[in-house]
Amino acid sequence: GEDVEQSLFLSVREGDSSVINCTYTDSSSTYLYWYKQEPGAGLQLLTYIFSNMDMKQDQRLTVLLNKKDKHLSLRIADTQTGDSAIYFCAESKGGKLIFGQGTELSVKP
Amino acid sequence: GAGVSQSPSNKVTEKGKDVELRCDPISGHTALYWYRQSLGQGLEFLIYFQGNSAPDKSGLPSDRFSAERTGGSVSTLTIQRTQQEDSAVYLCATRGVNPEAFFGQGTRLTVV
């Protein structure tokens, strides 16, 4: 496909793990990113992964990359109400950063 | 500077007027991006500057939109003869030699 694709909504209970999925378009993308956007705020870089890696872990965040399927996921362990936000994945394509539509994560107490 | 700075943070303009939006990058960042985010939507790529190379303007939606980057630093996005559909948040991001790209807080443009 032409676009970076994400499911639009995810709802989890506080304390559960959240998994946000993304399908990107270009197998030659060098870096893939996850950003977080809270209401009324700008985009905050959470993490990124180099395309020759399969996994990257940073505290509660785990990024998995399946280059063959062009699939990226972000796992948030022990999800908290403060994690409620929109999460965007992005691929670096010819220097440009191309974003998905964002996944709205809702964390219920 | 400490972060990417955009100004103004809010702009209300009348339909048909021209507007200029400014982005001050993190010092030393050679790559600069402009995006548009309409209400409840994702990020629409507009334009990308990398050093002294010709910018990638492939995302500009019409010839009313233009951008420049003077001296490889500050960038200005200009929208001429604004229309109501131009109302959105305009976001700027910059990147240096490392992969991390950082965003400013955006300019919320409202065309009335």
Side-chain angles (χ1 to χ4, degrees):
Chain A
E2 292 288 323
D3 299 328
V4 177
E5 295 184 348
Q6 302 178 238
S7 52
L8 294 181
F9 299 101
L10 177 65
S11 181
V12 300
R13 291 277 176 198
E14 190 174 20
D16 288 350
S17 291
S18 307
V19 180
I20 303 170
N21 294 302
C22 171
T23 304
Y24 61 99
T25 65
D26 190 346
S27 58
S28 66
S29 291
T30 49
Y31 292 98
L32 296 127
Y33 301 81
W34 284 104
Y35 283 84
K36 176 183 180 182
Q37 187 178 37
E38 295 182 77
L43 270 76
Q44 173 195 355
L45 176 65
L46 287 178
T47 188
Y48 65 93
I49 187 168
F50 188 43
S51 60
N52 70 351
M53 298 170 66
D54 298 322
M55 186 182 85
K56 181 178 181 180
Q57 188 155 1
D58 183 0
Q59 299 183 337
R60 291 191 298 123
L61 305 180
T62 303
V63 178
L64 294 178
L65 175 60
N66 181 330
K67 198 171 176 181
K68 172 178 169 290
D69 295 336
K70 290 183 277 189
H71 184 264
L72 183 73
S73 68
L74 175 70
R75 179 177 179 269
I76 305 173
D78 187 26
T79 314
Q80 303 297 306
T81 54
D83 295 324
S84 293
I86 300 176
Y87 291 80
F88 292 93
C89 67
E91 63 175 337
S92 176
K93 189 170 177 178
K96 295 190 302 194
L97 297 182
I98 305 300
F99 285 80
Q101 288 294 97
T103 299
E104 182 175 349
L105 175 64
S106 173
V107 182
K108 305 208 182 302
Chain B
V4 180
S5 178
Q6 292 189 244
S7 59
S9 53
N10 282 283
K11 175 73 176 178
V12 180
T13 190
E14 291 181 353
K15 179 180 169 182
K17 300 279 191 188
D18 298 351
V19 294
E20 284 189 354
L21 312 180
R22 177 184 169 107
C23 175
D24 282 90
I26 294 171
S27 178
H29 278 197
T30 57
L32 187 147
Y33 308 83
W34 283 100
Y35 292 87
R36 178 168 70 176
Q37 186 175 32
S38 301
L39 187 63
Q41 301 296 309
L43 274 74
E44 177 188 4
F45 167 77
L46 297 178
I47 188 168
Y48 161 49
F49 296 89
Q50 174 60 60
N52 295 322
S53 302
D56 180 339
K57 304 180 183 179
S58 60
L60 294 178
S62 77
D63 59 7
R64 295 187 296 105
F65 288 72
S66 62
E68 62 178 26
R69 189 176 185 195
T70 53
S73 182
V74 171
S75 178
T76 303
L77 177 69
T78 301
I79 309 172
Q80 296 177 307
R81 304 182 302 281
T82 51
Q83 304 295 312
Q84 287 186 326
E85 62 262 28
D86 300 333
S87 296
V89 176
Y90 290 81
L91 293 163
C92 174
T94 72
R95 181 166 57 86
V97 296
N98 294 323
E100 297 102 325
F102 298 100
F103 279 81
Q105 289 301 300
T107 294
R108 181 176 299 276
L109 175 66
T110 304
V111 182
V112 298

mmCIF file of all heavy atoms in Angstrom, chain A residues 31 33 35 37 40-43 45 48 88 92 94-102, chain B residues 33 35 37 40-43 45 48 56 58 91 95 99-105 108:
data_model
loop_
_atom_site.group_PDB
_atom_site.id
_atom_site.type_symbol
_atom_site.label_atom_id
_atom_site.label_comp_id
_atom_site.label_asym_id
_atom_site.label_seq_id
_atom_site.Cartn_x
_atom_site.Cartn_y
_atom_site.Cartn_z
ATOM 1 N N TYR A 31 15.003 4.000 9.369
ATOM 2 C CA TYR A 31 14.581 4.137 10.758
ATOM 3 C C TYR A 31 13.066 4.145 10.830
ATOM 4 O O TYR A 31 12.400 4.651 9.922
ATOM 5 C CB TYR A 31 15.119 5.438 11.374
ATOM 6 C CG TYR A 31 16.609 5.434 11.545
ATOM 7 C CD1 TYR A 31 17.433 6.040 10.605
ATOM 8 C CD2 TYR A 31 17.205 4.817 12.639
ATOM 9 C CE1 TYR A 31 18.816 6.020 10.745
ATOM 10 C CE2 TYR A 31 18.585 4.802 12.794
ATOM 11 C CZ TYR A 31 19.374 5.396 11.841
ATOM 12 O OH TYR A 31 20.733 5.375 11.988
ATOM 13 N N TYR A 33 9.906 4.989 13.745
ATOM 14 C CA TYR A 33 9.739 5.806 14.943
ATOM 15 C C TYR A 33 8.364 5.583 15.575
ATOM 16 O O TYR A 33 7.397 5.267 14.876
ATOM 17 C CB TYR A 33 9.823 7.301 14.579
ATOM 18 C CG TYR A 33 11.101 7.741 13.923
ATOM 19 C CD1 TYR A 33 11.318 7.538 12.563
ATOM 20 C CD2 TYR A 33 12.089 8.393 14.647
ATOM 21 C CE1 TYR A 33 12.491 7.966 11.951
ATOM 22 C CE2 TYR A 33 13.256 8.836 14.048
ATOM 23 C CZ TYR A 33 13.449 8.616 12.700
ATOM 24 O OH TYR A 33 14.609 9.050 12.108
ATOM 25 N N TYR A 35 5.929 8.036 18.104
ATOM 26 C CA TYR A 35 5.693 9.315 18.758
ATOM 27 C C TYR A 35 4.396 9.229 19.560
ATOM 28 O O TYR A 35 3.479 8.486 19.212
ATOM 29 C CB TYR A 35 5.541 10.439 17.721
ATOM 30 C CG TYR A 35 6.836 10.904 17.109
ATOM 31 C CD1 TYR A 35 7.391 10.227 16.026
ATOM 32 C CD2 TYR A 35 7.504 12.017 17.601
ATOM 33 C CE1 TYR A 35 8.578 10.649 15.456
ATOM 34 C CE2 TYR A 35 8.686 12.455 17.035
ATOM 35 C CZ TYR A 35 9.226 11.756 15.965
ATOM 36 O OH TYR A 35 10.405 12.179 15.410
ATOM 37 N N GLN A 37 1.309 11.746 21.246
ATOM 38 C CA GLN A 37 0.706 13.072 21.253
ATOM 39 C C GLN A 37 -0.427 13.102 22.263
ATOM 40 O O GLN A 37 -1.439 12.430 22.104
ATOM 41 C CB GLN A 37 0.187 13.454 19.864
ATOM 42 C CG GLN A 37 -0.304 14.895 19.792
ATOM 43 C CD GLN A 37 -0.764 15.300 18.406
ATOM 44 O OE1 GLN A 37 -1.351 14.511 17.679
ATOM 45 N NE2 GLN A 37 -0.481 16.545 18.031
ATOM 46 N N GLY A 40 -3.940 18.421 22.773
ATOM 47 C CA GLY A 40 -3.511 19.811 22.703
ATOM 48 C C GLY A 40 -2.004 20.020 22.699
ATOM 49 O O GLY A 40 -1.544 21.162 22.777
ATOM 50 N N ALA A 41 -1.254 18.950 22.602
ATOM 51 C CA ALA A 41 0.210 19.065 22.687
ATOM 52 C C ALA A 41 0.860 18.674 21.366
ATOM 53 O O ALA A 41 0.219 18.140 20.468
ATOM 54 C CB ALA A 41 0.739 18.180 23.815
ATOM 55 N N GLY A 42 2.156 18.931 21.280
ATOM 56 C CA GLY A 42 2.923 18.523 20.120
ATOM 57 C C GLY A 42 3.279 17.050 20.190
ATOM 58 O O GLY A 42 2.813 16.320 21.064
ATOM 59 N N LEU A 43 4.101 16.599 19.259
ATOM 60 C CA LEU A 43 4.494 15.203 19.218
ATOM 61 C C LEU A 43 5.782 14.986 20.005
ATOM 62 O O LEU A 43 6.766 15.703 19.802
ATOM 63 C CB LEU A 43 4.703 14.744 17.765
ATOM 64 C CG LEU A 43 3.479 14.186 17.078
ATOM 65 C CD1 LEU A 43 2.538 15.297 16.684
ATOM 66 C CD2 LEU A 43 3.875 13.360 15.868
ATOM 67 N N LEU A 45 8.811 12.399 20.831
ATOM 68 C CA LEU A 45 9.482 11.189 20.376
ATOM 69 C C LEU A 45 9.609 10.208 21.537
ATOM 70 O O LEU A 45 10.161 10.538 22.579
ATOM 71 C CB LEU A 45 10.871 11.532 19.833
ATOM 72 C CG LEU A 45 11.724 10.344 19.397
ATOM 73 C CD1 LEU A 45 11.099 9.632 18.207
ATOM 74 C CD2 LEU A 45 13.139 10.816 19.051
ATOM 75 N N TYR A 48 12.883 5.012 18.680
ATOM 76 C CA TYR A 48 13.030 4.691 17.272
ATOM 77 C C TYR A 48 13.850 3.409 17.183
ATOM 78 O O TYR A 48 14.510 3.007 18.138
ATOM 79 C CB TYR A 48 13.715 5.819 16.494
ATOM 80 C CG TYR A 48 15.146 6.066 16.904
ATOM 81 C CD1 TYR A 48 16.199 5.441 16.242
ATOM 82 C CD2 TYR A 48 15.448 6.933 17.954
ATOM 83 C CE1 TYR A 48 17.514 5.647 16.624
ATOM 84 C CE2 TYR A 48 16.751 7.139 18.342
ATOM 85 C CZ TYR A 48 17.783 6.506 17.681
ATOM 86 O OH TYR A 48 19.080 6.716 18.062
ATOM 87 N N PHE A 88 1.701 7.639 17.176
ATOM 88 C CA PHE A 88 1.970 7.642 15.741
ATOM 89 C C PHE A 88 3.229 6.841 15.442
ATOM 90 O O PHE A 88 4.254 7.018 16.110
ATOM 91 C CB PHE A 88 2.210 9.069 15.234
ATOM 92 C CG PHE A 88 1.003 9.958 15.267
ATOM 93 C CD1 PHE A 88 0.743 10.767 16.360
ATOM 94 C CD2 PHE A 88 0.130 9.999 14.183
ATOM 95 C CE1 PHE A 88 -0.362 11.596 16.390
ATOM 96 C CE2 PHE A 88 -0.985 10.826 14.200
ATOM 97 C CZ PHE A 88 -1.225 11.621 15.298
ATOM 98 N N SER A 92 11.129 6.475 7.894
ATOM 99 C CA SER A 92 12.020 7.398 7.214
ATOM 100 C C SER A 92 12.175 6.922 5.787
ATOM 101 O O SER A 92 12.730 5.855 5.541
ATOM 102 C CB SER A 92 13.385 7.423 7.921
ATOM 103 O OG SER A 92 14.277 8.244 7.220
ATOM 104 N N GLY A 94 13.440 8.094 2.134
ATOM 105 C CA GLY A 94 14.153 9.106 1.362
ATOM 106 C C GLY A 94 14.411 10.365 2.156
ATOM 107 O O GLY A 94 14.407 11.468 1.595
ATOM 108 N N GLY A 95 14.610 10.205 3.457
ATOM 109 C CA GLY A 95 14.847 11.368 4.308
ATOM 110 C C GLY A 95 13.580 11.941 4.889
ATOM 111 O O GLY A 95 13.601 12.584 5.945
ATOM 112 N N LYS A 96 12.438 11.753 4.213
ATOM 113 C CA LYS A 96 11.172 12.243 4.726
ATOM 114 C C LYS A 96 10.679 11.316 5.825
ATOM 115 O O LYS A 96 10.938 10.120 5.808
ATOM 116 C CB LYS A 96 10.107 12.265 3.620
ATOM 117 C CG LYS A 96 10.397 13.221 2.508
ATOM 118 C CD LYS A 96 9.228 13.403 1.576
ATOM 119 C CE LYS A 96 8.758 12.128 0.935
ATOM 120 N NZ LYS A 96 7.848 12.396 -0.200
ATOM 121 N N LEU A 97 9.936 11.876 6.741
ATOM 122 C CA LEU A 97 9.259 11.065 7.754
ATOM 123 C C LEU A 97 7.794 10.991 7.362
ATOM 124 O O LEU A 97 7.108 12.005 7.287
ATOM 125 C CB LEU A 97 9.401 11.697 9.135
ATOM 126 C CG LEU A 97 10.818 11.809 9.685
ATOM 127 C CD1 LEU A 97 10.799 12.406 11.076
ATOM 128 C CD2 LEU A 97 11.510 10.459 9.694
ATOM 129 N N ILE A 98 7.318 9.763 7.132
ATOM 130 C CA ILE A 98 5.934 9.551 6.731
ATOM 131 C C ILE A 98 5.209 8.904 7.900
ATOM 132 O O ILE A 98 5.646 7.855 8.402
ATOM 133 C CB ILE A 98 5.845 8.658 5.480
ATOM 134 C CG1 ILE A 98 6.697 9.241 4.340
ATOM 135 C CG2 ILE A 98 4.391 8.481 5.053
ATOM 136 C CD1 ILE A 98 6.275 10.627 3.905
ATOM 137 N N PHE A 99 4.095 9.522 8.296
ATOM 138 C CA PHE A 99 3.388 9.116 9.499
ATOM 139 C C PHE A 99 2.118 8.342 9.182
ATOM 140 O O PHE A 99 1.461 8.584 8.162
ATOM 141 C CB PHE A 99 3.011 10.357 10.323
ATOM 142 C CG PHE A 99 4.170 10.969 11.043
ATOM 143 C CD1 PHE A 99 5.070 11.791 10.380
ATOM 144 C CD2 PHE A 99 4.375 10.709 12.388
ATOM 145 C CE1 PHE A 99 6.149 12.345 11.038
ATOM 146 C CE2 PHE A 99 5.457 11.267 13.056
ATOM 147 C CZ PHE A 99 6.343 12.075 12.383
ATOM 148 N N GLY A 100 1.770 7.457 10.112
ATOM 149 C CA GLY A 100 0.460 6.838 10.082
ATOM 150 C C GLY A 100 -0.583 7.795 10.639
ATOM 151 O O GLY A 100 -0.272 8.915 11.058
ATOM 152 N N GLN A 101 -1.836 7.325 10.652
ATOM 153 C CA GLN A 101 -2.946 8.167 11.093
ATOM 154 C C GLN A 101 -3.038 8.278 12.604
ATOM 155 O O GLN A 101 -3.790 9.104 13.115
ATOM 156 C CB GLN A 101 -4.260 7.612 10.557
ATOM 157 C CG GLN A 101 -4.442 7.810 9.065
ATOM 158 C CD GLN A 101 -4.555 9.283 8.718
ATOM 159 O OE1 GLN A 101 -3.580 9.921 8.335
ATOM 160 N NE2 GLN A 101 -5.732 9.834 8.856
ATOM 161 N N GLY A 102 -2.287 7.436 13.307
ATOM 162 C CA GLY A 102 -2.313 7.495 14.761
ATOM 163 C C GLY A 102 -3.297 6.504 15.362
ATOM 164 O O GLY A 102 -4.356 6.238 14.781
ATOM 165 N N TYR B 33 11.375 19.818 8.657
ATOM 166 C CA TYR B 33 10.137 19.318 8.052
ATOM 167 C C TYR B 33 8.973 20.209 8.463
ATOM 168 O O TYR B 33 8.919 20.671 9.609
ATOM 169 C CB TYR B 33 9.806 17.911 8.553
ATOM 170 C CG TYR B 33 10.916 16.889 8.438
ATOM 171 C CD1 TYR B 33 11.900 16.796 9.405
ATOM 172 C CD2 TYR B 33 10.945 15.988 7.379
ATOM 173 C CE1 TYR B 33 12.900 15.839 9.318
ATOM 174 C CE2 TYR B 33 11.937 15.023 7.287
ATOM 175 C CZ TYR B 33 12.910 14.958 8.259
ATOM 176 O OH TYR B 33 13.900 14.001 8.168
ATOM 177 N N TYR B 35 4.692 19.869 8.598
ATOM 178 C CA TYR B 35 3.539 18.980 8.488
ATOM 179 C C TYR B 35 2.279 19.770 8.814
ATOM 180 O O TYR B 35 2.330 20.801 9.495
ATOM 181 C CB TYR B 35 3.633 17.810 9.484
ATOM 182 C CG TYR B 35 4.736 16.838 9.184
ATOM 183 C CD1 TYR B 35 6.019 17.048 9.670
ATOM 184 C CD2 TYR B 35 4.503 15.711 8.400
ATOM 185 C CE1 TYR B 35 7.039 16.164 9.388
ATOM 186 C CE2 TYR B 35 5.518 14.813 8.106
ATOM 187 C CZ TYR B 35 6.782 15.047 8.605
ATOM 188 O OH TYR B 35 7.805 14.162 8.317
ATOM 189 N N GLN B 37 -1.630 19.130 10.458
ATOM 190 C CA GLN B 37 -2.497 18.190 11.171
ATOM 191 C C GLN B 37 -3.870 18.833 11.307
ATOM 192 O O GLN B 37 -4.048 19.782 12.068
ATOM 193 C CB GLN B 37 -1.919 17.831 12.541
ATOM 194 C CG GLN B 37 -2.714 16.747 13.260
ATOM 195 C CD GLN B 37 -2.083 16.307 14.556
ATOM 196 O OE1 GLN B 37 -1.431 17.100 15.254
ATOM 197 N NE2 GLN B 37 -2.253 15.036 14.915
ATOM 198 N N GLY B 40 -8.312 15.974 14.457
ATOM 199 C CA GLY B 40 -8.555 14.544 14.541
ATOM 200 C C GLY B 40 -7.883 13.712 13.472
ATOM 201 O O GLY B 40 -8.181 12.521 13.341
ATOM 202 N N GLN B 41 -6.968 14.316 12.737
ATOM 203 C CA GLN B 41 -6.316 13.599 11.638
ATOM 204 C C GLN B 41 -4.848 13.339 11.939
ATOM 205 O O GLN B 41 -4.299 13.825 12.931
ATOM 206 C CB GLN B 41 -6.421 14.428 10.347
ATOM 207 C CG GLN B 41 -7.829 14.734 9.926
ATOM 208 C CD GLN B 41 -8.597 13.483 9.583
ATOM 209 O OE1 GLN B 41 -8.145 12.645 8.796
ATOM 210 N NE2 GLN B 41 -9.761 13.317 10.173
ATOM 211 N N GLY B 42 -4.224 12.566 11.061
ATOM 212 C CA GLY B 42 -2.801 12.306 11.176
ATOM 213 C C GLY B 42 -1.991 13.467 10.643
ATOM 214 O O GLY B 42 -2.501 14.574 10.436
ATOM 215 N N LEU B 43 -0.707 13.223 10.435
ATOM 216 C CA LEU B 43 0.198 14.265 9.965
ATOM 217 C C LEU B 43 0.367 14.173 8.456
ATOM 218 O O LEU B 43 0.770 13.137 7.925
ATOM 219 C CB LEU B 43 1.562 14.120 10.626
ATOM 220 C CG LEU B 43 1.704 14.792 11.979
ATOM 221 C CD1 LEU B 43 0.968 14.021 13.036
ATOM 222 C CD2 LEU B 43 3.167 14.944 12.348
ATOM 223 N N PHE B 45 2.440 15.346 5.358
ATOM 224 C CA PHE B 45 3.743 15.907 4.995
ATOM 225 C C PHE B 45 3.568 17.064 4.023
ATOM 226 O O PHE B 45 2.792 16.959 3.056
ATOM 227 C CB PHE B 45 4.607 14.817 4.361
ATOM 228 C CG PHE B 45 5.842 15.334 3.681
ATOM 229 C CD1 PHE B 45 6.950 15.723 4.419
ATOM 230 C CD2 PHE B 45 5.884 15.463 2.295
ATOM 231 C CE1 PHE B 45 8.083 16.211 3.793
ATOM 232 C CE2 PHE B 45 7.015 15.949 1.668
ATOM 233 C CZ PHE B 45 8.112 16.320 2.423
ATOM 234 N N TYR B 48 10.210 19.287 3.002
ATOM 235 C CA TYR B 48 11.391 18.800 3.724
ATOM 236 C C TYR B 48 12.617 19.504 3.176
ATOM 237 O O TYR B 48 12.857 19.506 1.967
ATOM 238 C CB TYR B 48 11.476 17.288 3.524
ATOM 239 C CG TYR B 48 12.798 16.612 3.771
ATOM 240 C CD1 TYR B 48 13.533 16.845 4.931
ATOM 241 C CD2 TYR B 48 13.302 15.689 2.850
ATOM 242 C CE1 TYR B 48 14.726 16.187 5.162
ATOM 243 C CE2 TYR B 48 14.502 15.025 3.076
ATOM 244 C CZ TYR B 48 15.200 15.275 4.228
ATOM 245 O OH TYR B 48 16.388 14.608 4.456
ATOM 246 N N ASP B 56 12.343 19.100 -0.798
ATOM 247 C CA ASP B 56 11.312 18.185 -1.314
ATOM 248 C C ASP B 56 9.960 18.828 -1.048
ATOM 249 O O ASP B 56 9.492 18.853 0.085
ATOM 250 C CB ASP B 56 11.444 16.836 -0.603
ATOM 251 C CG ASP B 56 10.410 15.817 -1.065
ATOM 252 O OD1 ASP B 56 9.356 16.211 -1.610
ATOM 253 O OD2 ASP B 56 10.642 14.618 -0.865
ATOM 254 N N SER B 58 7.086 17.939 -2.392
ATOM 255 C CA SER B 58 6.055 17.071 -2.975
ATOM 256 C C SER B 58 4.749 17.068 -2.197
ATOM 257 O O SER B 58 3.712 16.667 -2.722
ATOM 258 C CB SER B 58 6.590 15.642 -3.108
ATOM 259 O OG SER B 58 6.955 15.130 -1.837
ATOM 260 N N LEU B 91 2.858 21.913 12.021
ATOM 261 C CA LEU B 91 3.934 21.423 12.876
ATOM 262 C C LEU B 91 5.256 21.435 12.125
ATOM 263 O O LEU B 91 5.314 21.082 10.949
ATOM 264 C CB LEU B 91 3.630 19.993 13.332
ATOM 265 C CG LEU B 91 2.431 19.828 14.272
ATOM 266 C CD1 LEU B 91 1.975 18.385 14.313
ATOM 267 C CD2 LEU B 91 2.801 20.295 15.675
ATOM 268 N N ARG B 95 15.867 17.673 12.595
ATOM 269 C CA ARG B 95 16.704 16.512 12.896
ATOM 270 C C ARG B 95 18.153 16.858 12.587
ATOM 271 O O ARG B 95 18.430 17.559 11.599
ATOM 272 C CB ARG B 95 16.249 15.324 12.062
ATOM 273 C CG ARG B 95 16.993 14.036 12.281
ATOM 274 C CD ARG B 95 16.227 12.866 11.642
ATOM 275 N NE ARG B 95 15.982 13.073 10.230
ATOM 276 C CZ ARG B 95 16.825 12.756 9.255
ATOM 277 N NH1 ARG B 95 17.988 12.232 9.541
ATOM 278 N NH2 ARG B 95 16.499 12.974 8.002
ATOM 279 N N PRO B 99 19.301 10.066 14.429
ATOM 280 C CA PRO B 99 17.983 9.805 13.820
ATOM 281 C C PRO B 99 16.813 10.550 14.464
ATOM 282 O O PRO B 99 15.760 10.668 13.852
ATOM 283 C CB PRO B 99 17.811 8.295 14.004
ATOM 284 C CG PRO B 99 19.160 7.754 14.281
ATOM 285 C CD PRO B 99 19.920 8.846 14.953
ATOM 286 N N GLU B 100 16.991 11.009 15.724
ATOM 287 C CA GLU B 100 15.850 11.610 16.413
ATOM 288 C C GLU B 100 15.393 12.893 15.726
ATOM 289 O O GLU B 100 16.194 13.782 15.460
ATOM 290 C CB GLU B 100 16.207 11.953 17.869
ATOM 291 C CG GLU B 100 16.548 10.760 18.736
ATOM 292 C CD GLU B 100 18.043 10.611 18.950
ATOM 293 O OE1 GLU B 100 18.810 10.922 18.015
ATOM 294 O OE2 GLU B 100 18.430 10.193 20.037
ATOM 295 N N ALA B 101 14.086 12.957 15.454
ATOM 296 C CA ALA B 101 13.470 14.165 14.920
ATOM 297 C C ALA B 101 12.551 14.729 15.990
ATOM 298 O O ALA B 101 11.709 14.012 16.534
ATOM 299 C CB ALA B 101 12.686 13.853 13.647
ATOM 300 N N PHE B 102 12.709 16.023 16.268
ATOM 301 C CA PHE B 102 11.964 16.660 17.352
ATOM 302 C C PHE B 102 10.995 17.693 16.792
ATOM 303 O O PHE B 102 11.346 18.454 15.880
ATOM 304 C CB PHE B 102 12.925 17.327 18.336
ATOM 305 C CG PHE B 102 13.849 16.348 19.010
ATOM 306 C CD1 PHE B 102 15.153 16.197 18.556
ATOM 307 C CD2 PHE B 102 13.408 15.567 20.066
ATOM 308 C CE1 PHE B 102 16.013 15.284 19.156
ATOM 309 C CE2 PHE B 102 14.258 14.652 20.672
ATOM 310 C CZ PHE B 102 15.559 14.515 20.216
ATOM 311 N N PHE B 103 9.811 17.725 17.391
ATOM 312 C CA PHE B 103 8.759 18.616 16.935
ATOM 313 C C PHE B 103 8.647 19.852 17.811
ATOM 314 O O PHE B 103 8.899 19.796 19.021
ATOM 315 C CB PHE B 103 7.405 17.897 16.952
ATOM 316 C CG PHE B 103 7.171 17.028 15.757
ATOM 317 C CD1 PHE B 103 7.709 15.754 15.694
ATOM 318 C CD2 PHE B 103 6.420 17.490 14.687
ATOM 319 C CE1 PHE B 103 7.509 14.943 14.581
ATOM 320 C CE2 PHE B 103 6.205 16.690 13.572
ATOM 321 C CZ PHE B 103 6.754 15.421 13.524
ATOM 322 N N GLY B 104 8.209 20.941 17.183
ATOM 323 C CA GLY B 104 7.765 22.094 17.924
ATOM 324 C C GLY B 104 6.335 21.887 18.401
ATOM 325 O O GLY B 104 5.709 20.854 18.114
ATOM 326 N N GLN B 105 5.823 22.894 19.104
ATOM 327 C CA GLN B 105 4.467 22.787 19.662
ATOM 328 C C GLN B 105 3.392 23.098 18.638
ATOM 329 O O GLN B 105 2.213 22.890 18.893
ATOM 330 C CB GLN B 105 4.317 23.720 20.862
ATOM 331 C CG GLN B 105 5.104 23.251 22.080
ATOM 332 C CD GLN B 105 4.668 21.867 22.529
ATOM 333 O OE1 GLN B 105 3.525 21.633 22.879
ATOM 334 N NE2 GLN B 105 5.590 20.902 22.494
ATOM 335 N N ARG B 108 -1.454 26.860 15.589
ATOM 336 C CA ARG B 108 -2.863 26.570 15.269
ATOM 337 C C ARG B 108 -3.395 27.718 14.417
ATOM 338 O O ARG B 108 -3.482 28.849 14.888
ATOM 339 C CB ARG B 108 -3.689 26.428 16.545
ATOM 340 C CG ARG B 108 -5.160 26.100 16.273
ATOM 341 C CD ARG B 108 -5.930 25.859 17.565
ATOM 342 N NE ARG B 108 -5.370 24.732 18.307
ATOM 343 C CZ ARG B 108 -5.657 23.465 18.088
ATOM 344 N NH1 ARG B 108 -6.503 23.133 17.127
ATOM 345 N NH2 ARG B 108 -5.120 22.508 18.823
#
